[in-house]
mmCIF file of all heavy atoms in Angstrom:
data_model
loop_
_atom_site.group_PDB
_atom_site.id
_atom_site.type_symbol
_atom_site.label_atom_id
_atom_site.label_comp_id
_atom_site.label_asym_id
_atom_site.label_seq_id
_atom_site.Cartn_x
_atom_site.Cartn_y
_atom_site.Cartn_z
ATOM 1 N N LEU F 116 114.659 123.672 85.449
ATOM 2 C CA LEU F 116 115.557 122.594 85.849
ATOM 3 C C LEU F 116 115.925 121.684 84.681
ATOM 4 O O LEU F 116 116.635 120.692 84.869
ATOM 5 C CB LEU F 116 114.908 121.764 86.965
ATOM 6 C CG LEU F 116 114.620 122.505 88.276
ATOM 7 C CD1 LEU F 116 113.980 121.568 89.294
ATOM 8 C CD2 LEU F 116 115.895 123.120 88.854
ATOM 9 N N HIS F 117 115.441 122.033 83.492
ATOM 10 C CA HIS F 117 115.768 121.295 82.264
ATOM 11 C C HIS F 117 115.298 119.833 82.321
ATOM 12 O O HIS F 117 116.008 118.907 81.926
ATOM 13 C CB HIS F 117 117.281 121.341 81.991
ATOM 14 C CG HIS F 117 117.841 122.728 81.976
ATOM 15 N ND1 HIS F 117 117.542 123.647 80.982
ATOM 16 C CD2 HIS F 117 118.657 123.378 82.858
ATOM 17 C CE1 HIS F 117 118.154 124.785 81.241
ATOM 18 N NE2 HIS F 117 118.847 124.655 82.368
ATOM 19 N N VAL F 118 114.080 119.627 82.853
ATOM 20 C CA VAL F 118 113.473 118.288 82.873
ATOM 21 C C VAL F 118 112.052 118.403 82.331
ATOM 22 O O VAL F 118 111.413 119.465 82.413
ATOM 23 C CB VAL F 118 113.443 117.689 84.287
ATOM 24 C CG1 VAL F 118 114.855 117.420 84.784
ATOM 25 C CG2 VAL F 118 112.697 118.594 85.253
ATOM 26 N N SER F 119 111.558 117.318 81.769
ATOM 27 C CA SER F 119 110.210 117.331 81.203
ATOM 28 C C SER F 119 109.256 116.393 81.924
ATOM 29 O O SER F 119 108.054 116.383 81.635
ATOM 30 C CB SER F 119 110.256 116.936 79.719
ATOM 31 O OG SER F 119 110.839 115.646 79.557
ATOM 32 N N SER F 120 109.767 115.603 82.860
ATOM 33 C CA SER F 120 108.911 114.688 83.602
ATOM 34 C C SER F 120 109.520 114.415 84.964
ATOM 35 O O SER F 120 110.696 114.698 85.205
ATOM 36 C CB SER F 120 108.716 113.373 82.837
ATOM 37 O OG SER F 120 109.944 112.682 82.714
ATOM 38 N N GLY F 121 108.710 113.853 85.845
ATOM 39 C CA GLY F 121 109.164 113.546 87.193
ATOM 40 C C GLY F 121 108.170 114.036 88.225
ATOM 41 O O GLY F 121 107.103 114.549 87.893
ATOM 42 N N ALA F 122 108.505 113.829 89.499
ATOM 43 C CA ALA F 122 107.663 114.268 90.612
ATOM 44 C C ALA F 122 108.309 115.493 91.249
ATOM 45 O O ALA F 122 109.454 115.444 91.698
ATOM 46 C CB ALA F 122 107.516 113.152 91.636
ATOM 47 N N LEU F 123 107.580 116.596 91.274
ATOM 48 C CA LEU F 123 108.108 117.855 91.805
ATOM 49 C C LEU F 123 108.037 117.848 93.330
ATOM 50 O O LEU F 123 106.959 117.755 93.920
ATOM 51 C CB LEU F 123 107.320 119.030 91.255
ATOM 52 C CG LEU F 123 107.684 120.418 91.806
ATOM 53 C CD1 LEU F 123 109.137 120.765 91.489
ATOM 54 C CD2 LEU F 123 106.730 121.483 91.271
ATOM 55 N N VAL F 124 109.190 117.948 93.984
ATOM 56 C CA VAL F 124 109.267 117.997 95.440
ATOM 57 C C VAL F 124 109.016 119.426 95.909
ATOM 58 O O VAL F 124 109.738 120.351 95.523
ATOM 59 C CB VAL F 124 110.644 117.510 95.932
ATOM 60 C CG1 VAL F 124 110.751 117.651 97.452
ATOM 61 C CG2 VAL F 124 110.889 116.076 95.506
ATOM 62 N N VAL F 125 107.972 119.593 96.744
ATOM 63 C CA VAL F 125 107.650 120.919 97.275
ATOM 64 C C VAL F 125 107.869 120.992 98.780
ATOM 65 O O VAL F 125 107.704 122.048 99.384
ATOM 66 C CB VAL F 125 106.197 121.300 96.938
ATOM 67 C CG1 VAL F 125 106.028 121.459 95.437
ATOM 68 C CG2 VAL F 125 105.204 120.280 97.491
ATOM 69 N N GLY F 126 108.246 119.871 99.391
ATOM 70 C CA GLY F 126 108.540 119.865 100.819
ATOM 71 C C GLY F 126 109.263 118.593 101.199
ATOM 72 O O GLY F 126 109.080 117.543 100.567
ATOM 73 N N VAL F 127 110.108 118.674 102.222
ATOM 74 C CA VAL F 127 110.866 117.516 102.702
ATOM 75 C C VAL F 127 110.714 117.435 104.215
ATOM 76 O O VAL F 127 110.912 118.427 104.930
ATOM 77 C CB VAL F 127 112.356 117.617 102.315
ATOM 78 C CG1 VAL F 127 113.135 116.423 102.866
ATOM 79 C CG2 VAL F 127 112.515 117.698 100.800
ATOM 80 N N GLU F 128 110.348 116.257 104.702
ATOM 81 C CA GLU F 128 110.156 116.051 106.131
ATOM 82 C C GLU F 128 111.505 116.024 106.842
ATOM 83 O O GLU F 128 112.413 115.271 106.451
ATOM 84 C CB GLU F 128 109.428 114.721 106.350
ATOM 85 C CG GLU F 128 108.960 114.494 107.767
ATOM 86 C CD GLU F 128 107.716 115.304 108.109
ATOM 87 O OE1 GLU F 128 107.066 115.831 107.188
ATOM 88 O OE2 GLU F 128 107.414 115.385 109.302
ATOM 89 N N PRO F 129 111.694 116.847 107.892
ATOM 90 C CA PRO F 129 112.955 116.820 108.639
ATOM 91 C C PRO F 129 113.239 115.427 109.195
ATOM 92 O O PRO F 129 112.347 114.756 109.708
ATOM 93 C CB PRO F 129 112.705 117.827 109.774
ATOM 94 C CG PRO F 129 111.635 118.736 109.246
ATOM 95 C CD PRO F 129 110.757 117.875 108.395
ATOM 96 N N GLY F 130 114.485 114.990 109.069
ATOM 97 C CA GLY F 130 114.880 113.696 109.594
ATOM 98 C C GLY F 130 114.481 112.509 108.737
ATOM 99 O O GLY F 130 114.748 111.362 109.104
ATOM 100 N N SER F 131 113.859 112.766 107.601
ATOM 101 C CA SER F 131 113.416 111.690 106.721
ATOM 102 C C SER F 131 114.567 111.191 105.860
ATOM 103 O O SER F 131 115.624 111.833 105.760
ATOM 104 C CB SER F 131 112.292 112.189 105.818
ATOM 105 O OG SER F 131 112.783 113.176 104.920
ATOM 106 N N PRO F 132 114.387 110.047 105.178
ATOM 107 C CA PRO F 132 115.430 109.575 104.255
ATOM 108 C C PRO F 132 115.764 110.604 103.181
ATOM 109 O O PRO F 132 116.943 110.755 102.813
ATOM 110 C CB PRO F 132 114.810 108.315 103.650
ATOM 111 C CG PRO F 132 113.887 107.811 104.705
ATOM 112 C CD PRO F 132 113.315 109.048 105.334
ATOM 113 N N ALA F 133 114.747 111.324 102.689
ATOM 114 C CA ALA F 133 114.997 112.342 101.669
ATOM 115 C C ALA F 133 115.861 113.465 102.219
ATOM 116 O O ALA F 133 116.791 113.954 101.552
ATOM 117 C CB ALA F 133 113.680 112.889 101.138
ATOM 118 N N ALA F 134 115.564 113.896 103.458
ATOM 119 C CA ALA F 134 116.363 114.955 104.072
ATOM 120 C C ALA F 134 117.799 114.497 104.293
ATOM 121 O O ALA F 134 118.755 115.250 104.055
ATOM 122 C CB ALA F 134 115.729 115.382 105.393
ATOM 123 N N ASP F 135 117.949 113.261 104.748
ATOM 124 C CA ASP F 135 119.296 112.734 104.974
ATOM 125 C C ASP F 135 120.097 112.657 103.681
ATOM 126 O O ASP F 135 121.327 112.809 103.692
ATOM 127 C CB ASP F 135 119.213 111.340 105.603
ATOM 128 C CG ASP F 135 118.674 111.371 107.026
ATOM 129 O OD1 ASP F 135 118.666 112.464 107.624
ATOM 130 O OD2 ASP F 135 118.249 110.304 107.515
ATOM 131 N N ALA F 136 119.394 112.438 102.561
ATOM 132 C CA ALA F 136 120.089 112.355 101.266
ATOM 133 C C ALA F 136 120.452 113.727 100.723
ATOM 134 O O ALA F 136 121.243 113.827 99.781
ATOM 135 C CB ALA F 136 119.209 111.619 100.255
ATOM 136 N N GLY F 137 119.855 114.797 101.278
ATOM 137 C CA GLY F 137 120.145 116.148 100.812
ATOM 138 C C GLY F 137 119.130 116.683 99.816
ATOM 139 O O GLY F 137 119.350 117.734 99.200
ATOM 140 N N ILE F 138 118.002 116.006 99.662
ATOM 141 C CA ILE F 138 116.960 116.524 98.767
ATOM 142 C C ILE F 138 116.295 117.723 99.422
ATOM 143 O O ILE F 138 115.949 117.693 100.604
ATOM 144 C CB ILE F 138 115.916 115.437 98.459
ATOM 145 C CG1 ILE F 138 116.577 114.231 97.796
ATOM 146 C CG2 ILE F 138 114.807 115.983 97.574
ATOM 147 C CD1 ILE F 138 115.635 113.059 97.579
ATOM 148 N N ALA F 139 116.121 118.798 98.678
ATOM 149 C CA ALA F 139 115.452 120.003 99.179
ATOM 150 C C ALA F 139 114.588 120.573 98.062
ATOM 151 O O ALA F 139 114.934 120.493 96.877
ATOM 152 C CB ALA F 139 116.474 121.040 99.654
ATOM 153 N N ALA F 140 113.457 121.142 98.444
ATOM 154 C CA ALA F 140 112.558 121.756 97.460
ATOM 155 C C ALA F 140 113.147 123.079 96.953
ATOM 156 O O ALA F 140 113.800 123.808 97.716
ATOM 157 C CB ALA F 140 111.200 121.995 98.093
ATOM 158 N N PRO F 141 112.938 123.390 95.659
ATOM 159 C CA PRO F 141 112.302 122.555 94.640
ATOM 160 C C PRO F 141 113.305 121.585 94.020
ATOM 161 O O PRO F 141 114.452 121.935 93.771
ATOM 162 C CB PRO F 141 111.828 123.569 93.623
ATOM 163 C CG PRO F 141 112.845 124.675 93.689
ATOM 164 C CD PRO F 141 113.260 124.749 95.141
ATOM 165 N N ALA F 142 112.845 120.379 93.799
ATOM 166 C CA ALA F 142 113.636 119.355 93.131
ATOM 167 C C ALA F 142 112.662 118.446 92.389
ATOM 168 O O ALA F 142 111.472 118.431 92.682
ATOM 169 C CB ALA F 142 114.464 118.561 94.129
ATOM 170 N N VAL F 143 113.174 117.690 91.438
ATOM 171 C CA VAL F 143 112.334 116.771 90.667
ATOM 172 C C VAL F 143 112.938 115.376 90.774
ATOM 173 O O VAL F 143 114.068 115.148 90.334
ATOM 174 C CB VAL F 143 112.223 117.194 89.196
ATOM 175 C CG1 VAL F 143 111.379 116.172 88.415
ATOM 176 C CG2 VAL F 143 111.624 118.581 89.077
ATOM 177 N N ILE F 144 112.187 114.460 91.386
ATOM 178 C CA ILE F 144 112.653 113.080 91.495
ATOM 179 C C ILE F 144 112.461 112.390 90.154
ATOM 180 O O ILE F 144 111.383 112.407 89.564
ATOM 181 C CB ILE F 144 111.902 112.330 92.609
ATOM 182 C CG1 ILE F 144 112.235 112.961 93.965
ATOM 183 C CG2 ILE F 144 112.260 110.847 92.606
ATOM 184 C CD1 ILE F 144 111.487 112.351 95.138
ATOM 185 N N GLN F 145 113.531 111.754 89.671
ATOM 186 C CA GLN F 145 113.531 111.125 88.355
ATOM 187 C C GLN F 145 113.444 109.598 88.411
ATOM 188 O O GLN F 145 112.895 108.981 87.508
ATOM 189 C CB GLN F 145 114.809 111.513 87.607
ATOM 190 C CG GLN F 145 114.959 113.016 87.368
ATOM 191 C CD GLN F 145 114.254 113.464 86.095
ATOM 192 O OE1 GLN F 145 114.804 113.351 85.004
ATOM 193 N NE2 GLN F 145 113.038 113.959 86.236
ATOM 194 N N SER F 146 114.006 109.009 89.477
ATOM 195 C CA SER F 146 113.934 107.554 89.563
ATOM 196 C C SER F 146 114.121 107.106 91.008
ATOM 197 O O SER F 146 114.723 107.802 91.828
ATOM 198 C CB SER F 146 114.985 106.888 88.675
ATOM 199 O OG SER F 146 116.289 107.098 89.186
ATOM 200 N N ILE F 147 113.578 105.922 91.298
ATOM 201 C CA ILE F 147 113.732 105.262 92.596
ATOM 202 C C ILE F 147 114.163 103.829 92.327
ATOM 203 O O ILE F 147 113.479 103.081 91.622
ATOM 204 C CB ILE F 147 112.415 105.249 93.400
ATOM 205 C CG1 ILE F 147 111.920 106.671 93.690
ATOM 206 C CG2 ILE F 147 112.577 104.436 94.686
ATOM 207 C CD1 ILE F 147 112.665 107.387 94.776
#
């Protein structure tokens, strides 16, 4: 994914804010 740091997302709760935003595993969160 061409990143060197962050939190690796391995699962997303259905109906959660992350799911509503379109985040899906695998992804790397970079900032909040």
Side-chain angles (χ1 to χ4, degrees):
L116 297 180
H117 307 291
V118 294
S119 58
S120 65
L123 175 61
V124 176
V125 294
V127 178
E128 190 76 14
S131 66
D135 292 343
I138 301 175
V143 178
I144 295 177
Q145 299 274 277
S146 70
I147 299 284

